[in-house]
Amino acid sequence: MTFRYARHTTNLKRISAFYCKYVGLENLGGFEDHDGYNGLFLGNKNNNWHLEFTTSKEMPTSKFDPDDVLVFYVTSEVELSRLKEILIKDKIPLETPKNPYWSKYGIMIYDPDGYQIVFSVKTQQLHSNDELTRLAVDMGLEDWNALIEYVKQIPYGRNSNRFDVSLVVKENKGTCSSKHAFLKSIAKLNGLQDVKLILGIYKMNHLNTPKTGRIIEDNGLNYLPEAHCYLNINNRRIDITSSSARIGNLEKDILEEIEIEPSQVVDFKIAYHKQYLKQWCKKESIDMPFDVIWNLREQCIKKLSI
């Protein structure tokens, strides 16, 4: 069985922007002038439900009370915290639900039409019988939220074998590449379809990556394009590199993004990054040998391990 929730509204463009940005839905299509109605469908290609919003010459006359809410479940506390950051940044107030349950287990906002929306955490058990998932479960990490919280606390550091993502937990350390490749691998094995592994290139400098100090500026550069891996969960960027990682600090400096597979976080990532740097040097007329540029990058990475 599939499910559709249909509602009349006044502004399809505003509704679409809101539900795509804050709820994480996608525009699945729509229609125009169908018996006097225009409409759009918002949802996710991996789910068997979607929302339909319509407009017509008639204004909406819907009535609702404080107990009428649309509830959207995210898969982890990290995702809920990330959503809070976005809402606060965009000055969208968090409201107090009438039902105390939602105050305790979620957050609530109003959509552009004044309807109440609640976000709450509903994590997923890790059920796969593969070796990687068993490794996590045997450590007491039986659900997706627990796994993310654990990996987030693991110290930053390169693993002895960068091709073996299980070393993130076996060696109790990892980088942005190995940590997110490990999480993406388990997500895929356990059927979490809305988890993507992203390779992004961003303008690394002492402001968005403070631990690098002034290595870049002291060498006459304003920034250095750095490759960074993170997740995209329900269309929201999530960074699990460390407990202090804030992808929001990097978003305005992101130059390029592509989705990759866990197997691509080593050789492919390095080759992709080097090619981008070479093109950047040429475009920006950087009068510095590539080996020197790459060595500067390595100095910055070492600073992150301290």
Side-chain angles (χ1 to χ4, degrees):
M1 179 182 294
T2 58
F3 172 75
R4 172 189 294 183
Y5 172 77
R7 197 179 87 203
H8 209 43
T9 186
T10 58
N11 190 317
L12 293 179
K13 185 176 181 180
R14 183 176 61 175
I15 281 288
S16 178
F18 177 89
Y19 277 88
C20 288
K21 182 173 184 179
Y22 301 115
V23 183
L25 304 184
E26 302 171 32
N27 193 325
L28 303 177
F31 54 89
E32 293 184 2
D33 196 23
H34 186 272
D35 293 331
Y37 285 87
N38 297 326
L40 70 132
F41 307 110
L42 301 176
N44 189 291
K45 295 175 182 178
N46 294 323
N47 297 328
N48 62 354
W49 61 266
H50 62 266
L51 307 181
E52 177 188 7
F53 292 95
T54 59
T55 58
S56 69
K57 292 181 180 180
E58 296 182 10
M59 295 296 290
T61 58
S62 303
K63 294 182 180 180
F64 52 95
D65 66 41
D67 284 315
D68 293 331
V69 294
L70 277 179
V71 181
F72 293 94
Y73 288 101
V74 296
T75 57
S76 66
E77 293 289 346
V78 167
E79 191 180 346
L80 188 63
S81 295
R82 176 71 182 123
L83 175 57
K84 285 183 182 179
E85 290 177 8
I86 296 171
L87 294 172
I88 292 171
K89 179 183 177 182
D90 289 355
K91 298 181 179 179
I92 295 180
L94 302 182
E95 307 293 342
T96 301
K98 179 183 177 183
N99 187 333
Y101 179 90
W102 296 123
S103 292
K104 186 176 181 180
Y105 295 106
I107 59 174
M108 190 181 82
I109 60 174
Y110 290 130
D111 79 0
D113 292 334
Y115 280 77
Q116 297 167 145
I117 296 176
V118 165
F119 298 95
S120 186
V121 177
K122 187 176 183 180
T123 192
Q124 180 170 325
Q125 293 296 118
L126 302 180
H127 56 76
S128 176
N129 196 37
D130 65 278
E131 184 177 349
L132 203 60
T133 301
R134 290 201 307 272
L135 175 64
V137 172
D138 289 345
M139 296 177 63
L141 308 171
E142 299 181 350
D143 62 62
W144 176 243
N145 181 66
L147 181 67
I148 285 184
E149 291 296 323
Y150 179 84
V151 173
K152 185 174 66 172
Q153 301 297 329
I154 291 176
Y156 184 93
R158 285 179 172 172
N159 299 111
S160 58
N161 181 351
R162 296 168 71 184
F163 293 92
D164 184 357
V165 296
S166 70
L167 294 181
V168 169
V169 291
K170 289 178 179 177
E171 296 181 346
N172 195 46
K173 65 179 179 179
T175 63
C176 70
S177 298
S178 59
K179 286 188 176 186
H180 293 105
F182 171 72
L183 289 170
K184 167 60 181 179
S185 297
I186 289 191
K188 187 174 182 179
L189 290 165
N190 288 271
L192 280 81
Q193 297 178 318
D194 298 324
V195 179
K196 299 177 182 178
L197 177 60
I198 304 297
L199 169 58
I201 304 291
Y202 76 99
K203 298 179 180 180
M204 180 170 65
N205 56 47
H206 72 283
L207 296 176
N208 56 35
T209 316
K211 282 191 174 182
T212 61
R214 292 193 171 270
I215 294 173
I216 297 170
E217 289 78 4
D218 289 347
N219 283 274
L221 299 173
N222 293 323
Y223 69 91
L224 195 60
E226 171 60 2
H228 186 56
C229 285
Y230 43 92
L231 299 179
N232 184 303
I233 305 177
N234 293 320
N235 296 318
R236 273 186 283 273
R237 296 183 181 99
I238 305 291
D239 193 346
I240 317 293
T241 304
S242 69
S243 58
S244 61
R246 295 289 182 271
I247 192 67
N249 296 338
L250 304 180
E251 284 186 312
K252 64 181 178 60
D253 295 320
I254 292 176
L255 298 166
E256 187 170 293
E257 290 180 302
I258 59 170
E259 183 180 359
I260 61 173
E261 293 297 322
S263 61
Q264 294 179 296
V265 296
V266 186
D267 292 343
F268 175 85
K269 178 190 173 186
I270 294 173
Y272 188 91
H273 188 194
K274 286 185 174 181
Q275 181 62 27
Y276 189 98
L277 277 173
K278 290 175 181 178
Q279 293 175 348
W280 173 74
C281 288
K282 183 177 180 180
K283 180 181 178 181
E284 300 296 326
S285 300
I286 304 297
D287 187 21
M288 198 180 297
F290 177 77
D291 289 346
V292 174
I293 291 288
W294 190 254
N295 183 57
L296 287 178
R297 185 260 176 184
E298 287 295 296
Q299 291 180 47
C300 291
I301 296 303
K302 287 181 180 178
K303 286 280 188 178
L304 296 178
S305 301
I306 298 175

